[in-house]
Amino acid sequence: MLFLYFLVFLLFFVVILLPRKSNEILSSKLALSRTKSRTKEKVSIEHLPEELLSNILSRLPSKELQKCKFVCKSWFHLIKDPHFVTKYYVVYNNHIVTNHDLFVIGRPFPSSKKTFISLLSCNSNDNITNKNKEHVPSKVLNPPCEYNSDHEYWTEIMGPCNGIYFLEGKPNLMMNPSLGQFKALPESHFATPFGGNSLMDYTGFGFDPKTNDYKVVVIKDLWIRARGEEHLGWWRTELYSLNSNSWRRLDAVLPLPIEIWSSSRVYTLVNNCCHWLGYVEDEFGKRKDVVLAFDMVNETFRKIHVPRVRDCWEESSATLVPRDEPARIGMVVHSVKRYDVWVMKDYWNQESWVKVYSVGPVEVISTLVGICGRDQFLWKNNNEELVMYEAESGKVKCLQVFGKNDSLRAARYMESILSLHRGNEFSGQCVSIDWVHDR
């Protein structure tokens, strides 16, 4: 009986299971053969998965990436794609770059108006207090010859805005130092009304993601002379668009009453809005800090109230700063050898201002001219030398860069592949870059 059962099982194995197993083995051999044959085929770079290609290219320096545009048509269109341009800015600057370089302008000679534009390689991990111990490498960005004179100069840096910088001065400029592009803005054709003059211009720079446009807004403080006396006339606002390369008048109304101090030395673009520090006076003539915001998308103004952040206006100064960019706005209130950092935790709630921390005494404090990273502050000391101070560690680094007549301005340098030559992809570079040694 057992033998009969064994015989039936053997027949079942031979007739049914063995052929099935043989087919599986044969299929496996055929699949392995196909795989080996495929590995011998050459894969064209044009057929690489786009996601893989995008991840690889976004890790290249901007100048090397520009060369990759000419490898093939698919690479050219990928690198020009606005989504890739944005991805590159975020990935390369936040995940690939380890050191924070600086974009600096200044006039090193007291008798000259000529502004030197340079990039500084700055490793903030070095605790350096003696400027003679280490050389800080830099390179000078030489503008075209028509701007290389004492008659052409710049007084403020605004940026980086997606790696693009705006230089306020004569003339106004947009600049992409990564690509060596240098674009002079046309002059506004709007004339000052007869019998009046503009005492001060307040400038802001930012990006409108809705129209993919870079804009410059200028608020003119106009005064009208009447009956032999000067009195306040009105504010007038003009806006430049990179897409149209032209200026236009804005009908946006300022939230009066308000007075503006000046264009900020620290670039503060938050939630697609640029900002100025100003003040209002109460019924007793006392001044109170306020912030004027301009929305680059909706092209409207808003006044943001600030709590009492300083006790004595004569003994302290305040500067707007970005915090946790691009979500929050902050303010640094600085006096002799110390400063306080405030932040508006909820941008849309002006009641959410809180003091984050206080620092002091700090010997390097004179004038705040920039920010590099979350808590790395760039100061101009009493010798008009650029100094970096880290609030958390207390490290001080003298950057061996000097300016005269309060000309030093600094901002964090960010790589960008965004072209300023709209509609002219193959325009030549406007800026030559040479390595130099600081004195």
Side-chain angles (χ1 to χ4, degrees):
M1 193 67 177
L2 292 175
F3 177 76
L4 181 61
Y5 285 152
F6 174 77
L7 184 60
V8 173
F9 173 78
L10 184 61
L11 288 173
F12 176 79
F13 178 81
V14 172
V15 174
I16 298 177
L17 296 182
L18 187 60
R20 182 181 299 176
K21 189 69 175 178
S22 299
N23 290 336
E24 291 177 359
I25 294 173
L26 180 59
S27 299
S28 299
K29 288 182 178 181
L30 289 174
L32 181 62
S33 176
R34 293 192 192 101
T35 302
K36 289 182 178 180
S37 63
R38 286 174 182 173
T39 57
K40 294 180 182 180
E41 297 178 2
K42 292 184 179 179
V43 179
S44 171
I45 58 175
E46 295 187 6
H47 296 92
L48 286 175
E50 185 171 312
E51 182 177 357
L52 173 62
L53 182 60
S54 176
N55 286 333
I56 295 173
L57 294 179
S58 62
R59 284 159 170 77
L60 295 177
S62 57
K63 288 192 174 182
E64 299 302 322
L65 190 58
Q66 293 305 300
K67 300 176 184 177
C68 294
K69 290 194 299 185
F70 305 101
V71 172
C72 59
K73 290 183 178 179
S74 61
W75 285 29
F76 179 85
H77 293 297
L78 172 63
I79 295 172
K80 284 189 61 181
D81 185 89
H83 296 290
F84 178 79
V85 172
T86 302
K87 176 181 179 179
Y88 174 82
Y89 178 79
V90 174
V91 171
Y92 188 85
N93 291 294
N94 295 329
H95 301 290
I96 305 302
V97 176
T98 57
N99 296 333
H100 291 170
D101 292 347
L102 300 179
F103 183 76
V104 180
I105 64 173
R107 298 190 292 275
F109 307 110
S111 61
S112 173
K113 285 187 176 181
K114 179 181 177 181
T115 307
F116 284 79
I117 309 171
S118 60
L119 299 180
L120 269 65
S121 178
C122 182
N123 185 354
S124 61
N125 294 323
D126 297 332
N127 186 7
I128 300 173
T129 56
N130 187 343
K131 61 188 177 185
N132 297 320
K133 287 186 177 181
E134 181 169 313
H135 168 74
V136 178
S138 68
K139 51 186 174 181
V140 170
L141 308 182
N142 295 318
C145 57
E146 60 265 31
Y147 303 110
N148 196 15
S149 71
D150 283 350
H151 301 290
E152 315 295 338
Y153 59 92
W154 301 278
T155 57
E156 301 291 345
I157 296 176
M158 298 180 191
C161 181
N162 300 330
I164 304 301
Y165 297 82
F166 174 77
L167 274 62
E168 183 181 10
K170 185 181 179 182
N172 291 321
L173 303 172
M174 280 189 191
M175 189 173 186
N176 183 343
S178 303
L179 303 183
Q181 291 183 352
F182 187 99
K183 179 178 179 60
L185 274 60
E187 292 187 9
S188 171
H189 63 275
F190 298 107
T192 302
F194 177 77
N197 62 311
S198 177
L199 296 184
M200 184 66 70
D201 291 351
Y202 307 101
T203 307
F205 169 60
F207 177 66
D208 178 0
K210 187 175 180 180
T211 59
N212 192 33
D213 195 9
Y214 289 82
K215 299 177 179 179
V216 177
V217 59
V218 177
I219 306 172
K220 292 183 176 292
D221 185 2
L222 295 180
W223 289 70
I224 304 299
R225 184 177 299 276
R227 297 180 182 178
E229 297 180 356
E230 266 192 350
H231 63 88
L232 182 63
W234 66 88
W235 299 96
R236 190 176 72 186
T237 310
E238 301 172 4
L239 187 136
Y240 168 83
S241 162
L242 179 62
N243 284 349
S244 64
N245 192 33
S246 62
W247 293 88
R248 59 185 170 89
R249 286 277 298 273
L250 282 183
D251 296 327
V253 179
L254 269 71
L256 301 175
I258 190 172
E259 295 293 334
I260 305 173
W261 283 113
S262 65
S263 297
S264 179
R265 294 183 175 182
V266 179
Y267 182 65
T268 310
L269 184 73
V270 175
N271 290 315
N272 300 316
C273 297
C274 57
H275 302 83
W276 301 266
L277 182 61
Y279 67 91
V280 294
E281 292 185 350
D282 61 18
E283 61 273 19
F284 303 104
K286 292 185 178 181
R287 293 179 176 182
K288 181 180 179 181
D289 289 312
V290 294
V291 175
L292 177 64
F294 177 76
D295 189 328
M296 288 287 175
V297 178
N298 299 316
E299 298 182 356
T300 56
F301 288 99
R302 177 193 176 203
K303 183 165 59 178
I304 302 173
H305 290 280
V306 179
R308 189 176 181 86
V309 297
R310 46 179 167 169
D311 297 325
C312 181
W313 284 54
E314 290 77 17
E315 297 180 2
S316 62
S317 300
T319 306
L320 295 176
V321 295
R323 299 290 298 177
D324 300 327
E325 187 183 9
R328 299 176 180 174
I329 188 174
M331 180 181 295
V332 176
V333 180
H334 42 99
S335 55
V336 180
K337 295 186 179 181
R338 67 169 294 107
Y339 62 89
D340 302 326
V341 179
W342 291 73
V343 63
M344 188 168 66
K345 301 187 71 173
D346 179 5
Y347 181 78
W348 303 109
N349 180 9
Q350 58 189 7
E351 304 298 326
S352 64
W353 285 93
V354 295
K355 184 191 290 188
V356 181
Y357 57 79
S358 298
V359 177
V362 184
E363 297 295 332
V364 300
I365 285 184
S366 175
T367 304
L368 182 64
V369 297
I371 281 187
C372 182
R374 176 179 173 82
D375 292 302
Q376 297 168 337
F377 297 89
L378 300 168
W379 298 89
K380 183 195 70 174
N381 65 17
N382 292 327
N383 297 323
E384 295 204 62
E385 179 184 16
L386 190 62
V387 177
M388 176 184 288
Y389 179 80
E390 288 189 349
E392 183 175 353
S393 65
K395 292 181 178 179
V396 176
K397 184 169 185 178
C398 298
L399 301 179
Q400 306 171 45
V401 177
F402 296 84
K404 299 296 182 182
N405 302 324
D406 191 30
S407 63
L408 272 179
R409 301 290 185 270
R412 183 181 175 184
Y413 170 71
M414 306 284 272
E415 289 271 325
S416 173
I417 57 171
L418 181 69
S419 176
L420 296 176
H421 301 301
R422 299 293 172 94
N424 191 0
E425 177 64 31
F426 299 100
S427 293
Q429 292 187 353
C430 296
V431 180
S432 61
I433 300 178
D434 299 315
W435 287 96
V436 299
H437 293 282
D438 290 335
R439 56 179 181 176

